[in-house]
Amino acid sequence: MFPLSSENEQTAKSIVEKLKIERRERSNKLPVLSFRRLYSILNGDEKLFVKNLLNQNPKTYGFNGPFLGIEKVPLFLKKIRGQKYTREREEEEIAQQYLPFQVWLAYKKLSKAMKNEIGKEILIESGYRSPAYQVLTFLYSLVEKHKLDYEKTLNLVALPGYSQHGHPPLQAIDFTTKDGALRGEKMGFENTSEYDWLSKSANKYHFHLSYPKNNALGIRFEPWHWHYQKQN
Ligand SMILES: [Zn+2]
């Protein structure tokens, strides 16, 4: 499928235009977008494009993460509203996020402990993302951020079915700080005291760094991305 033919490039761009409309009109619902809803807003060519994308094997492109599966959106997810951060004196609100209840409870414990110990809070920049939403996240990154450079995009954004954000048994959270240091410049997260604390203490709350430096999965170091897994 990659590199995209010029026809497919046009199709990718037209899907991204539809994503922009969804963002304007239904941003709170995007993380729980179903395939049924996605296909209802796409035309025939666009649907076919998405189906082809779902059949890609990222190993072909150097991504060695496991296939986690494409499952339905869970029925019960905790809605997380009203998270605010302040950046350059401007207060901004993070769009509504979703998490499996158990993961949300674990996050609350972790966040409380961090506040007690170092006086800092940590926010959820991205929690659950359905596989259908992951399709759009991937295409947005490909078209708008990386000028259709598929190798770069595959290195930065998981294909649907390969993201821990869409797989509740290994539910991932992308954290951000109260001063919003990360938005758009995520690499800064590595140098925050919040990250330092997470490195020492997150495991106690069953959160694990998914992609450490030089990991064998072919995924860049993501200091903000932690998954929840409680060993029995
Ligand atoms: Zn992530």
Side-chain angles (χ1 to χ4, degrees), residues 125-127 129 156 163-165 172-175 186 210-211 220 222 224-226:
E125 184 180 79
S126 187
R129 296 200 295 257
L156 298 176
S163 170
Q164 293 177 333
H165 287 281
I173 299 180
D174 290 340
F175 289 120
K186 284 189 168 171
S210 303
Y211 310 120
R220 68 175 165 163
E222 293 197 351
W224 57 85
H225 177 117
W226 296 72

PDB file of all heavy atoms in Angstrom, residues 125-127 129 156 163-165 172-175 186 210-211 220 222 224-226, ligand 1:
ATOM      1  N   GLU A 125      -3.481  13.162  28.609  1.00  0.00           N
ATOM      2  CA  GLU A 125      -3.622  13.829  27.314  1.00  0.00           C
ATOM      3  C   GLU A 125      -4.371  12.933  26.329  1.00  0.00           C
ATOM      4  O   GLU A 125      -5.147  13.389  25.493  1.00  0.00           O
ATOM      5  CB  GLU A 125      -2.257  14.190  26.731  1.00  0.00           C
ATOM      6  CG  GLU A 125      -2.423  14.963  25.451  1.00  0.00           C
ATOM      7  CD  GLU A 125      -1.108  15.346  24.820  1.00  0.00           C
ATOM      8  OE1 GLU A 125      -0.490  14.506  24.170  1.00  0.00           O
ATOM      9  OE2 GLU A 125      -0.721  16.498  25.001  1.00  0.00           O
ATOM     10  N   SER A 126      -4.120  11.615  26.440  1.00  0.00           N
ATOM     11  CA  SER A 126      -4.821  10.684  25.567  1.00  0.00           C
ATOM     12  C   SER A 126      -4.983   9.361  26.298  1.00  0.00           C
ATOM     13  O   SER A 126      -4.019   8.821  26.836  1.00  0.00           O
ATOM     14  CB  SER A 126      -4.024  10.515  24.268  1.00  0.00           C
ATOM     15  OG  SER A 126      -4.762   9.754  23.350  1.00  0.00           O
ATOM     16  N   GLY A 127      -6.206   8.876  26.361  1.00  0.00           N
ATOM     17  CA  GLY A 127      -6.478   7.598  27.012  1.00  0.00           C
ATOM     18  C   GLY A 127      -6.913   6.580  25.977  1.00  0.00           C
ATOM     19  O   GLY A 127      -6.184   6.295  25.030  1.00  0.00           O
ATOM     20  N   ARG A 129      -8.404   5.082  22.784  1.00  0.00           N
ATOM     21  CA  ARG A 129      -8.694   5.520  21.409  1.00  0.00           C
ATOM     22  C   ARG A 129      -9.148   4.292  20.629  1.00  0.00           C
ATOM     23  O   ARG A 129      -8.387   3.322  20.513  1.00  0.00           O
ATOM     24  CB  ARG A 129      -7.436   6.081  20.716  1.00  0.00           C
ATOM     25  CG  ARG A 129      -6.855   7.328  21.332  1.00  0.00           C
ATOM     26  CD  ARG A 129      -5.959   8.085  20.346  1.00  0.00           C
ATOM     27  NE  ARG A 129      -4.766   7.365  19.951  1.00  0.00           N
ATOM     28  CZ  ARG A 129      -3.533   7.615  20.420  1.00  0.00           C
ATOM     29  NH1 ARG A 129      -3.346   8.555  21.337  1.00  0.00           N
ATOM     30  NH2 ARG A 129      -2.504   6.934  19.985  1.00  0.00           N
ATOM     31  N   LEU A 156       6.035   6.764  14.219  1.00  0.00           N
ATOM     32  CA  LEU A 156       5.484   7.628  15.270  1.00  0.00           C
ATOM     33  C   LEU A 156       4.073   7.259  15.712  1.00  0.00           C
ATOM     34  O   LEU A 156       3.701   7.508  16.845  1.00  0.00           O
ATOM     35  CB  LEU A 156       5.484   9.090  14.797  1.00  0.00           C
ATOM     36  CG  LEU A 156       6.854   9.686  14.494  1.00  0.00           C
ATOM     37  CD1 LEU A 156       6.708  11.090  13.946  1.00  0.00           C
ATOM     38  CD2 LEU A 156       7.730   9.716  15.739  1.00  0.00           C
ATOM     39  N   SER A 163      -2.077  -0.467  18.546  1.00  0.00           N
ATOM     40  CA  SER A 163      -1.925   0.580  19.571  1.00  0.00           C
ATOM     41  C   SER A 163      -2.468   0.117  20.916  1.00  0.00           C
ATOM     42  O   SER A 163      -3.594  -0.379  21.007  1.00  0.00           O
ATOM     43  CB  SER A 163      -2.690   1.837  19.132  1.00  0.00           C
ATOM     44  OG  SER A 163      -2.739   2.755  20.213  1.00  0.00           O
ATOM     45  N   GLN A 164      -1.690   0.341  21.970  1.00  0.00           N
ATOM     46  CA  GLN A 164      -2.180   0.041  23.318  1.00  0.00           C
ATOM     47  C   GLN A 164      -3.302   0.978  23.731  1.00  0.00           C
ATOM     48  O   GLN A 164      -4.022   0.694  24.673  1.00  0.00           O
ATOM     49  CB  GLN A 164      -1.030   0.141  24.329  1.00  0.00           C
ATOM     50  CG  GLN A 164       0.027  -0.930  24.159  1.00  0.00           C
ATOM     51  CD  GLN A 164       1.176  -0.751  25.133  1.00  0.00           C
ATOM     52  OE1 GLN A 164       1.460   0.360  25.568  1.00  0.00           O
ATOM     53  NE2 GLN A 164       1.847  -1.844  25.474  1.00  0.00           N
ATOM     54  N   HIS A 165      -3.470   2.083  23.035  1.00  0.00           N
ATOM     55  CA  HIS A 165      -4.568   2.987  23.378  1.00  0.00           C
ATOM     56  C   HIS A 165      -5.923   2.360  23.053  1.00  0.00           C
ATOM     57  O   HIS A 165      -6.939   2.731  23.643  1.00  0.00           O
ATOM     58  CB  HIS A 165      -4.430   4.320  22.634  1.00  0.00           C
ATOM     59  CG  HIS A 165      -3.329   5.167  23.177  1.00  0.00           C
ATOM     60  ND1 HIS A 165      -3.465   5.917  24.319  1.00  0.00           N
ATOM     61  CD2 HIS A 165      -2.052   5.371  22.748  1.00  0.00           C
ATOM     62  CE1 HIS A 165      -2.321   6.557  24.572  1.00  0.00           C
ATOM     63  NE2 HIS A 165      -1.449   6.228  23.635  1.00  0.00           N
ATOM     64  N   ALA A 172      -3.176   2.075  27.461  1.00  0.00           N
ATOM     65  CA  ALA A 172      -2.132   3.101  27.548  1.00  0.00           C
ATOM     66  C   ALA A 172      -2.730   4.467  27.866  1.00  0.00           C
ATOM     67  O   ALA A 172      -3.874   4.757  27.522  1.00  0.00           O
ATOM     68  CB  ALA A 172      -1.375   3.188  26.232  1.00  0.00           C
ATOM     69  N   ILE A 173      -1.924   5.258  28.552  1.00  0.00           N
ATOM     70  CA  ILE A 173      -2.236   6.673  28.766  1.00  0.00           C
ATOM     71  C   ILE A 173      -1.025   7.477  28.295  1.00  0.00           C
ATOM     72  O   ILE A 173       0.109   7.126  28.602  1.00  0.00           O
ATOM     73  CB  ILE A 173      -2.470   6.993  30.264  1.00  0.00           C
ATOM     74  CG1 ILE A 173      -3.662   6.204  30.818  1.00  0.00           C
ATOM     75  CG2 ILE A 173      -2.679   8.496  30.474  1.00  0.00           C
ATOM     76  CD1 ILE A 173      -3.945   6.477  32.311  1.00  0.00           C
ATOM     77  N   ASP A 174      -1.281   8.547  27.545  1.00  0.00           N
ATOM     78  CA  ASP A 174      -0.240   9.547  27.292  1.00  0.00           C
ATOM     79  C   ASP A 174      -0.425  10.627  28.340  1.00  0.00           C
ATOM     80  O   ASP A 174      -1.487  11.264  28.395  1.00  0.00           O
ATOM     81  CB  ASP A 174      -0.387  10.182  25.905  1.00  0.00           C
ATOM     82  CG  ASP A 174      -0.058   9.211  24.779  1.00  0.00           C
ATOM     83  OD1 ASP A 174       0.622   8.203  25.037  1.00  0.00           O
ATOM     84  OD2 ASP A 174      -0.499   9.474  23.645  1.00  0.00           O
ATOM     85  N   PHE A 175       0.583  10.815  29.184  1.00  0.00           N
ATOM     86  CA  PHE A 175       0.484  11.814  30.239  1.00  0.00           C
ATOM     87  C   PHE A 175       0.975  13.169  29.754  1.00  0.00           C
ATOM     88  O   PHE A 175       1.801  13.263  28.840  1.00  0.00           O
ATOM     89  CB  PHE A 175       1.359  11.405  31.437  1.00  0.00           C
ATOM     90  CG  PHE A 175       0.816  10.232  32.217  1.00  0.00           C
ATOM     91  CD1 PHE A 175       1.559   9.067  32.350  1.00  0.00           C
ATOM     92  CD2 PHE A 175      -0.431  10.302  32.833  1.00  0.00           C
ATOM     93  CE1 PHE A 175       1.068   7.987  33.081  1.00  0.00           C
ATOM     94  CE2 PHE A 175      -0.924   9.224  33.562  1.00  0.00           C
ATOM     95  CZ  PHE A 175      -0.169   8.067  33.687  1.00  0.00           C
ATOM     96  N   LYS A 186       6.556  17.060  22.591  1.00  0.00           N
ATOM     97  CA  LYS A 186       6.516  16.000  23.590  1.00  0.00           C
ATOM     98  C   LYS A 186       7.881  15.588  24.107  1.00  0.00           C
ATOM     99  O   LYS A 186       7.997  15.065  25.193  1.00  0.00           O
ATOM    100  CB  LYS A 186       5.813  14.788  23.002  1.00  0.00           C
ATOM    101  CG  LYS A 186       4.319  14.963  22.946  1.00  0.00           C
ATOM    102  CD  LYS A 186       3.662  13.664  22.559  1.00  0.00           C
ATOM    103  CE  LYS A 186       2.166  13.751  22.776  1.00  0.00           C
ATOM    104  NZ  LYS A 186       1.474  12.597  22.226  1.00  0.00           N
ATOM    105  N   SER A 210       6.014   1.825  28.207  1.00  0.00           N
ATOM    106  CA  SER A 210       5.883   0.839  27.117  1.00  0.00           C
ATOM    107  C   SER A 210       7.075   0.842  26.173  1.00  0.00           C
ATOM    108  O   SER A 210       7.477  -0.196  25.676  1.00  0.00           O
ATOM    109  CB  SER A 210       4.619   1.132  26.306  1.00  0.00           C
ATOM    110  OG  SER A 210       3.483   1.120  27.132  1.00  0.00           O
ATOM    111  N   TYR A 211       7.587   2.031  25.900  1.00  0.00           N
ATOM    112  CA  TYR A 211       8.624   2.138  24.874  1.00  0.00           C
ATOM    113  C   TYR A 211       9.843   2.865  25.415  1.00  0.00           C
ATOM    114  O   TYR A 211      10.046   4.056  25.168  1.00  0.00           O
ATOM    115  CB  TYR A 211       8.058   2.862  23.644  1.00  0.00           C
ATOM    116  CG  TYR A 211       6.740   2.274  23.181  1.00  0.00           C
ATOM    117  CD1 TYR A 211       5.583   3.037  23.138  1.00  0.00           C
ATOM    118  CD2 TYR A 211       6.659   0.923  22.828  1.00  0.00           C
ATOM    119  CE1 TYR A 211       4.372   2.486  22.750  1.00  0.00           C
ATOM    120  CE2 TYR A 211       5.453   0.370  22.444  1.00  0.00           C
ATOM    121  CZ  TYR A 211       4.307   1.156  22.407  1.00  0.00           C
ATOM    122  OH  TYR A 211       3.116   0.600  22.028  1.00  0.00           O
ATOM    123  N   ARG A 220      10.051   4.583  18.727  1.00  0.00           N
ATOM    124  CA  ARG A 220      10.870   5.616  19.383  1.00  0.00           C
ATOM    125  C   ARG A 220      10.581   5.637  20.894  1.00  0.00           C
ATOM    126  O   ARG A 220       9.519   5.201  21.345  1.00  0.00           O
ATOM    127  CB  ARG A 220      10.557   6.985  18.781  1.00  0.00           C
ATOM    128  CG  ARG A 220       9.160   7.384  19.162  1.00  0.00           C
ATOM    129  CD  ARG A 220       8.760   8.754  18.745  1.00  0.00           C
ATOM    130  NE  ARG A 220       7.298   8.791  18.872  1.00  0.00           N
ATOM    131  CZ  ARG A 220       6.578   9.884  18.901  1.00  0.00           C
ATOM    132  NH1 ARG A 220       7.164  11.044  18.777  1.00  0.00           N
ATOM    133  NH2 ARG A 220       5.273   9.841  19.009  1.00  0.00           N
ATOM    134  N   GLU A 222       9.182   6.843  24.118  1.00  0.00           N
ATOM    135  CA  GLU A 222       7.996   7.654  24.423  1.00  0.00           C
ATOM    136  C   GLU A 222       7.850   7.790  25.937  1.00  0.00           C
ATOM    137  O   GLU A 222       7.118   7.020  26.560  1.00  0.00           O
ATOM    138  CB  GLU A 222       6.733   7.021  23.830  1.00  0.00           C
ATOM    139  CG  GLU A 222       6.710   7.032  22.313  1.00  0.00           C
ATOM    140  CD  GLU A 222       5.316   6.786  21.727  1.00  0.00           C
ATOM    141  OE1 GLU A 222       4.396   6.447  22.489  1.00  0.00           O
ATOM    142  OE2 GLU A 222       5.166   6.953  20.512  1.00  0.00           O
ATOM    143  N   TRP A 224       6.180   9.681  27.750  1.00  0.00           N
ATOM    144  CA  TRP A 224       4.824  10.039  28.219  1.00  0.00           C
ATOM    145  C   TRP A 224       3.843   8.879  28.139  1.00  0.00           C
ATOM    146  O   TRP A 224       2.738   8.962  28.634  1.00  0.00           O
ATOM    147  CB  TRP A 224       4.287  11.208  27.375  1.00  0.00           C
ATOM    148  CG  TRP A 224       4.279  10.855  25.912  1.00  0.00           C
ATOM    149  CD1 TRP A 224       3.295  10.183  25.240  1.00  0.00           C
ATOM    150  CD2 TRP A 224       5.318  11.090  24.963  1.00  0.00           C
ATOM    151  NE1 TRP A 224       3.662   9.994  23.926  1.00  0.00           N
ATOM    152  CE2 TRP A 224       4.896  10.545  23.734  1.00  0.00           C
ATOM    153  CE3 TRP A 224       6.566  11.729  25.036  1.00  0.00           C
ATOM    154  CZ2 TRP A 224       5.680  10.595  22.585  1.00  0.00           C
ATOM    155  CZ3 TRP A 224       7.345  11.780  23.876  1.00  0.00           C
ATOM    156  CH2 TRP A 224       6.898  11.226  22.678  1.00  0.00           C
ATOM    157  N   HIS A 225       4.228   7.808  27.461  1.00  0.00           N
ATOM    158  CA  HIS A 225       3.273   6.716  27.163  1.00  0.00           C
ATOM    159  C   HIS A 225       3.475   5.541  28.120  1.00  0.00           C
ATOM    160  O   HIS A 225       4.493   4.858  28.067  1.00  0.00           O
ATOM    161  CB  HIS A 225       3.473   6.293  25.700  1.00  0.00           C
ATOM    162  CG  HIS A 225       2.627   5.142  25.248  1.00  0.00           C
ATOM    163  ND1 HIS A 225       1.676   5.251  24.256  1.00  0.00           N
ATOM    164  CD2 HIS A 225       2.606   3.842  25.636  1.00  0.00           C
ATOM    165  CE1 HIS A 225       1.103   4.076  24.064  1.00  0.00           C
ATOM    166  NE2 HIS A 225       1.660   3.194  24.880  1.00  0.00           N
ATOM    167  N   TRP A 226       2.488   5.326  29.001  1.00  0.00           N
ATOM    168  CA  TRP A 226       2.548   4.272  30.014  1.00  0.00           C
ATOM    169  C   TRP A 226       1.310   3.404  29.874  1.00  0.00           C
ATOM    170  O   TRP A 226       0.219   3.921  29.608  1.00  0.00           O
ATOM    171  CB  TRP A 226       2.579   4.894  31.421  1.00  0.00           C
ATOM    172  CG  TRP A 226       3.821   5.716  31.647  1.00  0.00           C
ATOM    173  CD1 TRP A 226       4.103   6.932  31.091  1.00  0.00           C
ATOM    174  CD2 TRP A 226       4.948   5.372  32.454  1.00  0.00           C
ATOM    175  NE1 TRP A 226       5.344   7.368  31.510  1.00  0.00           N
ATOM    176  CE2 TRP A 226       5.880   6.432  32.357  1.00  0.00           C
ATOM    177  CE3 TRP A 226       5.258   4.275  33.273  1.00  0.00           C
ATOM    178  CZ2 TRP A 226       7.103   6.430  33.023  1.00  0.00           C
ATOM    179  CZ3 TRP A 226       6.464   4.274  33.946  1.00  0.00           C
ATOM    180  CH2 TRP A 226       7.383   5.331  33.822  1.00  0.00           C
TER     181      TRP A 226
HETATM  182 ZN    ZN B   1       0.570   6.843  23.523  1.00  0.00          ZN
END
